[in-house]
Amino acid sequence: MTTTCCTSARAGSQFVKDFMGTLTAANPHEPEFLQAAQEVVTSVEAVMEKKPQYLQGNILGRIVEPERAFQFRVPWVNDAGEVKVNRGYRIEFNSAIGPYKGGLRFHPTVNLSILKFLGFEQVFKNSLTTLPMGGGKGGADFNPKGKSDGEVMRFCQSFMSELFRHIGPDTDVPAGDIGVGSREIGYMFGEYKKITNTFVGILTGRGLEWGGSLIRPEATGYGCVYFAADMLATRGETFEGKTCLVSGSGNVAQYTVEKINDLGGKVVTLSDSGGWIFDGDGVDAEKLDWVMHLKNNHRGRIEEYAQQFPNAEFHSRNDSLDHNPMWSVKADCAFPSATQNEINAVDATNLLGNGVYLVSEGANMPSTAIAQDTFVDAGILYGPAKAANAGGVAVSGFEMAQASQRLYWTRDEVDARLRIIMSSIHTQCVDAAKEFGCEGNYVHGANIAGFVKVADAMIAQGIV
Ligand code: NDP
């Protein structure tokens, strides 16, 4: 084996090819999981040379296998009295450094591959936060969009009536993700409390009145912008005057916009699954309030933005194109905050061609492998998701700490701690990349730094 830290995920040495060949044969229908695994295995190959105990202990072979995975039936009754059924999952990926921790996603595209990729990424992300949290992920192929509150409640109750037996404050602590916000967390928490007759921190993202933490809703978006600010600082720059592209218009996107505005930048795009808007004047605080109201209270469509603010343009989603024209808007920075693989190779080239030199990923794995290599090869400031969006789970960790102490920290205290953790993640990425000879490569930096801590814990705990 030769040390090839700076090879891209595409290049791959013989070691990576052999490993991925075996993994692919074992998981042939899981492209997202294989994509996430290939990236990490490529990054950590060089670490194997320095720490032969990882090879002897077959750490890679063990770390790509979830410790436990559940799939279950979720029956529920809709408003018309019809019996519906969805498929629920929980992947308990790795508990070497703490209880399983990671969100629940309710979206029609949810399947085992997507949840395994998310759970796998979560292992390294949680390790980077410096907090004692293992990695997990779960969800269901249920679409909350267009459902009444009653239908969502009955679904959440049915989902929790099975999930409850697998989770616990010291075992596995789920949170929200796409399609799971404060409403869904509330319904699931209520059901857990009723079944078990306990009021404990088994879910994070709870309401402030019932065990939640200040800044949890803001944390992923704020953290992603803090990480970007640290990347800009390496070049002596700030957000002042920067034009930014943000995709999505959900939780992560909303607070990404808020923090960019706070720091003097201007956001000119937002999107949802129906299309995207361009607002050359910028999505200022007042417009952002309107978007939050639209999305969080009315569950409306981003298309309505252009009706409300006539200077803005709406562009419908067009899947017949080989690229998303939103990523061709002239800008300095991009914050993909919607979903996985939303930036493909053409989009990445278009972003670079239109002036973008910083990408900070709010969504999980929003760039395809080739798009990611395009950014790394171009030498731009590219903050991969597992580092840049770790702020959400970090504040979930704070929520767990506050819940077990039965006290609340102030908004300023949580925000200050979040800021410190994002800087620490940035430093870990920079230092690990430097140590392994690929300075400035945040992908390798994040993967190596996240991996080493988990691998050392696995070695210490024996073959379990
Ligand atoms: P939300 O459900 O609040 O918002 C998701 C947004 O992305 C919506 O605007 C949605 O549009 C859009 N979107 C979702 N799927 C697609 C798709 N297939 N095509 C186009 N647009 C899509 O989710 P979050 O903001 O919480 O999550 C966004 C991303 O951030 C996800 O990748 C998630 O895993 C990641 N993340 C979230 C964290 C959190 O704390 N919430 C923590 C770390 C990562 P529409 O409403 O039309 O579906």
Side-chain angles (χ1 to χ4, degrees), residues 105 145 177 179 216 220 249-252 273 301 317 338 364:
R105 176 177 292 192
K145 229 179 283 172
D177 190 76
R216 177 59 190 91
T220 306
S249 46
N251 172 266
V252 177
S273 54
R301 311 306 301 154
R317 176 177 175 152
N364 282 311

Side-chain angles (χ1 to χ4, degrees), residues 397-409 413 417:
F398 299 161
E399 184 175 327
M400 289 163 72
Q402 292 168 83
S404 53
Q405 293 171 70
R406 301 252 188 311
L407 51 76
Y408 290 103
W409 301 342
E413 191 174 355
R417 285 177 189 260

Side-chain angles (χ1 to χ4, degrees), residues 95-387:
S95 62
I97 62 168
Y100 309 104
K101 181 89 198 86
L104 298 170
R105 176 177 292 192
F106 291 168
H107 195 271
T109 57
V110 161
N111 59 35
L112 195 59
S113 173
I114 287 182
L115 294 181
K116 277 179 68 182
F117 117 64
L118 289 164
F120 184 70
E121 290 276 295
Q122 197 81 45
V123 173
F124 308 103
K125 180 188 310 195
N126 293 1
S127 164
L128 283 170
T129 66
T130 71
L131 302 174
M133 297 181 291
K137 201 81 189 185
D141 60 353
F142 170 75
N143 189 358
K145 229 179 283 172
K147 305 284 190 306
S148 70
D149 277 354
E151 289 175 323
V152 170
M153 182 180 75
R154 291 192 291 279
F155 176 82
C156 289
Q157 290 172 339
S158 178
F159 184 83
M160 185 52 87
S161 72
E162 173 58 32
L163 186 69
F164 87 97
R165 63 187 95 247
H166 308 297
I167 63 176
D170 298 316
T171 311
D172 183 355
V173 186
D177 190 76
I178 291 178
V180 179
S182 53
R183 173 182 63 168
E184 290 77 13
I185 294 287
Y187 292 149
M188 287 190 276
F189 184 77
E191 180 70 7
Y192 182 93
K193 189 164 63 65
K194 175 166 177 167
I195 299 174
T196 63
N197 193 24
T198 54
F199 191 114
V200 284
I202 42 85
L203 286 168
T204 56
R206 299 192 298 276
L208 278 182
E209 308 78 10
W210 40 284
S213 172
L214 286 160
I215 303 280
R216 177 59 190 91
E218 293 90 336
T220 306
Y222 279 17
C224 189
V225 179
Y226 290 150
F227 192 85
D230 284 342
M231 289 199 291
L232 282 172
T234 64
R235 297 192 180 176
E237 295 184 33
T238 69
F239 266 101
E240 203 57 53
K242 298 275 187 303
T243 299
C244 303
L245 311 179
V246 175
S247 66
S249 46
N251 172 266
V252 177
Q254 292 169 14
Y255 290 104
T256 295
V257 176
E258 185 165 283
K259 189 48 74 178
I260 291 172
N261 286 344
D262 280 356
L263 299 183
K266 178 166 88 165
V267 174
V268 295
T269 62
L270 284 173
S271 68
D272 64 19
S273 54
W276 59 283
I277 60 102
F278 171 74
D279 183 346
D281 298 335
V283 182
D284 61 19
E286 202 179 313
K287 293 173 186 170
L288 178 61
D289 266 358
W290 185 87
V291 171
M292 287 180 170
H293 193 64
L294 172 81
K295 285 289 174 184
N296 308 344
N297 301 346
H298 297 299
R299 299 179 191 273
R301 311 306 301 154
I302 203 66
E303 181 172 9
E304 296 168 50
Y305 185 101
Q307 293 149 18
Q308 179 71 15
F309 306 109
N311 283 347
E313 302 160 8
F314 173 71
H315 301 266
S316 295
R317 176 177 175 152
N318 182 353
D319 287 337
S320 66
L321 298 175
D322 67 350
H323 67 288
N324 178 351
M326 191 183 85
W327 299 125
S328 300
V329 171
K330 199 166 166 42
D332 305 299
C333 310
F335 293 82
S337 310
T339 194
Q340 65 273 355
N341 291 330
E342 56 173 309
I343 297 180
N344 66 20
V346 182
D347 296 321
T349 304
N350 289 343
L351 280 162
L352 298 178
N354 286 292
V356 167
Y357 64 97
L358 178 147
V359 177
S360 192
E361 296 184 335
N364 282 311
M365 205 169 73
S367 308
T368 63
I370 301 181
Q372 186 173 73
D373 288 346
T374 306
F375 295 143
V376 171
D377 293 347
I380 65 163
L381 297 168
Y382 170 58
K386 65 171 73 67

